[in-house]
Amino acid sequence: MAIRMRHIDRTFRQEPQQIGNGEDRGVDVLKDISLDIARGEFVALQGTSGSGKSTLLQLMGLLDQPSAGSYTLMGRDVAGLDDNARSDLRNCCLGFVFQSFYLIPYASALENVILPGLYSGTSRAELRSRGVSLLERVGLGDRMNFKPSRLSGGQQQRVAMARALVNEPDIILADEPTGQLDSTTSEEIMGLFHDVHALGKTIVLVTHDEIVAAGAGRIIHLEDGRIAD
Amino acid sequence: MRFIRLLPQIQGMALEALWAYKLRSLFVVLGVAMGIASLTLIVTAVDGANRKTLEIVEMFGPDAAFVLGGNLKKRAVGMRTLTLSHEDARRIRQSLPGAYLVVPMRAKGGQTIRFRNKNYQDVFVVGATENYATVWNWPLQEGRDIRLEDERTGARVALLGSKPSRELFGDESPVGKTVFVSGIPFQVVGLLSYRGMTGGGGDIDNRIIIPLSTLTTRFNMDRKYFRALRVKFHEPSYMDAHTENLRSLLRHLHELPPDQDDDFTILTADEVLRFLSMFKGGLAVFLGVTATIAMLVGGFVLANLFTISVSERSEEIGLKRAMGAHRSAIMGQFLLEASLLTLAGGVLGLILGLGLGQLLSRLDILEIRFSWKVFAMAMGSALAVGLVFGLKPARHAANLDPIQALKGLD
C-alpha cells in the first residue's frame, strides 16, 4: 500500500480576533478521512473548491500534519516524525507538481530539474545525466539552459514534472497541474502523467476538471471535508 | 552533519542567488566595505602610531633628558628661550649625580649648503659640543663624531645628515669633502645614518651638525647661552630622580624663587610617550566610533535587504522545503549568502582602507602599517556582521511554513 489513511481530521484553529468573542473555535477542513491507495494506482481527487482536496494532498505530501488520525506512507507510520525526517521522506519518496509550476526564476531548466537531488546529496555528475535524460523525455532536450521566463506554461510544467521525477520517487502528488494551461497543453501534460504512471509510479492528482479526472484509474470525491459516496 | 555534507551544493545555490540579485548584493558589499575600510584604517593607523611612538622613544632614549630653554607648558608672552648657559652645562657635568654626557646645542634653520656647483637649500644647522651623535643615540654611517678639540678650536668640521648628503653627493661618500654653509667652508668628517622621521619639525635627516663654538662665532650668535641641552644618565631606572635632581639644580643655578615657574622644560622619554599616547588615544576613539557606526550601517543594510529578499523569495524557499530541504539547509543558504557578501565587502573594504591609508601616509597625515592582524580583523568583523545581521532573516526563512511560503505569503 502506498498511502493508507485512517480517521484523519484536519482542523484549522482560527485566531480569536477573527471570530470576535475569544472562543476557541476551529474550522474542520477534513473530517474522518480513511482511504487506501495502492502502489501503481492513478487516483484523482475531485471536489469543489473548499472541499479540502488540496489540504488532503498536502497531508499526503507531508507538508502538513493531521490534527487526528493515522497515516502510513509506503508502509511507514509517519505520525510523530520530526521536521527533518519528514523532509527526507519528501525528498526521497515523493514528487510534487504544482498548479503554478514554481520554478526558480534565475536557474536554468536543467538546474531546476536537479534541485531535489541537491538536497539528497547525489553527485552533480549523476544528477546532470539524470536531468538531461528527463528533460529529453519530456521533450525539452533543446531547451535545457533556458531560464523559465523563456519557456511557455506547458514547457514550464514539463520542467516541473522532470523535477518531480529526478529523485526517482514512488509517488507523484500533483495539485491542479493543468489548472493554468489551455486544453491542448493540458492533454500533453496528462499524456506525460500517463507515461509516468506506465513506469509504475503511484499518482495522486487534485483536479476539478472532469476530463482530467476521467483519465485516472479511480476518482475520490470530496465534499465538505469528507469522502463522498 | 548533513548540512556540512551538502555544503558544496548549498554554496552553489547561494552563489547563483547572489548573482541573480546582483544589485542587492552590490549594495550589501558596498555597505560592509565602508565599515571595513574605516576599521582597516584605524587598526593600521593605531599600529603605525604605536610603531612611530616606539621609534620616537627609542630615538629619544630611555636614559636621556632633553632640556629646552623657556617654559613650553606655560608659554608666557615674551619669555626668554635663551636661558641655558655654558655655566649651567659645566655645573651639570660637574655635580649632577648619574649624568655622564652633557651636550649643549643651538640651531639655525634655513641655511643653504653648497658642494661644488650644487646647492641644497633650507637645511637645519645644529651647533653642538662633542659627542653629538652619541648623545642622540644616532649611529654614524661613516666617519667620526664631533670631538672636544673641534669645539675648543672652533674647527670648521661637520656631521652631515643623510638628506643633504643624498642631495649633494648621491651615493658617494661625503666624508673628507668640503661643503660650504652660507659661504663658509666645512670639512665633512662624519655621515649620520638615515632616521626617516618626519612630522612636526620637518625632516629630521635634513640637518648638518657643526661645533657649537663654530656656530656662534661664524654666525654671530650669542656666545653665553644656547637653546637646548641633552643629558645622558647612568641607571635609566632612576630617571624620575635624575629628572628631579636636574630640575632642582637648574632652578638653583637660575636663582628662581619658589613661587616662580621653571624657565626651562625638561623632556624625557616618559613625557614624550605620554604626549604621544594622548594623541593616539584620541585618534583611536575618533576612528573607532566612525568605524563602528559604518559597520552598523553596513549590517543594517544587510539585514534590511535580506529581509526583503526572504519575503520576495518565499516561493523559492517553500519549493525547496517541499523538495525536501531541511530547515538547516535553508538557513545555511541564507547565512552563506550573507557571509559571502560581507566577506566580499571585507576584501573590498580592506583594499579601500589600505589605499586610503597609503594616501594619508603619503600626505604625512597618518603612518600606516599593514599586517596579517589587520587582514584577520577585517575578515573576522566582516564575517561577524554577515552572521549577526543575517541571522534573523535566515532564521525567518528557515521557519517559513512550506505551504504558506508557496502561496507567497509570510
Side-chain angles (χ1 to χ4, degrees), chain B residues 303-317:
Chain B
N304 205 351
L305 290 177
F306 265 70
T307 305
I308 294 171
S309 198
V310 168
S311 72
E312 268 188 19
R313 288 162 67 189
S314 80
E315 273 186 12
E316 174 190 332
I317 296 161

Side-chain angles (χ1 to χ4, degrees), chain A residues 10-21:
Chain A
R10 181 65 176 106
T11 306
F12 288 111
R13 284 177 51 179
Q14 285 192 325
E15 298 295 318
Q17 66 266 25
Q18 281 178 290
I19 46 179
N21 54 7

